[in-house]
Amino acid sequence: MNAALALPVAVAVYAAIAVSLFALAPIVTVGDGALAAGQARIPVAQLGEVEILDAEALRAAIGPGLDARAYLMVRGYIHSAVRIAVTDPSDPAPYWVVTTRKPQALQAAIEAER
């Protein structure tokens, strides 16, 4: 293989991987009366208490304290999250755990959307 071609190919592969990871990253939004976390969506009217989880509380919430029915959107590189109670009795998930770098902002957005 041509050594002069190796560097441009490596840069192109790195750029393609970086763009793919950015494009495929799940997005958390609150608006139009709903919370969307990745592909999942739930009306804010069906949400209860929002609890902010630091790294230690998050580790416990997704480890020994996890209810297997809970909805999780956990990204391993983010070490803070919110646990949001689900008040809809017909929803099988008792709560959602969503990792976010700005848990206070997510909590405020959910409260404002109510």
Side-chain angles (χ1 to χ4, degrees):
M1 176 159 197
N2 187 349
L5 187 59
L7 183 60
V9 168
V11 169
V13 168
Y14 177 80
I17 291 170
V19 168
S20 312
L21 290 174
F22 182 75
L24 296 173
I27 297 174
V28 178
T29 59
V30 179
D32 297 327
L35 165 66
Q39 298 285 336
R41 186 174 168 86
I42 186 168
V44 294
Q46 296 176 359
L47 299 177
E49 179 184 353
V50 179
E51 177 187 357
I52 295 176
L53 305 173
D54 62 11
E56 188 174 320
L58 174 60
R59 198 172 8 260
I62 62 176
L66 178 66
D67 183 328
R69 301 170 298 154
Y71 172 76
L72 302 177
M73 193 187 84
V74 177
R75 294 160 288 177
Y77 53 91
I78 299 177
H79 304 291
S80 57
V82 293
R83 179 174 26 214
I84 309 158
V86 175
T87 59
D88 181 5
S90 65
D91 193 324
Y95 59 87
W96 284 25
V97 175
V98 178
T99 55
T100 175
R101 289 188 176 94
K102 300 177 182 178
Q104 291 86 359
L106 180 55
Q107 181 184 37
I110 292 169
E111 297 300 333
E113 192 67 25
R114 291 180 210 252

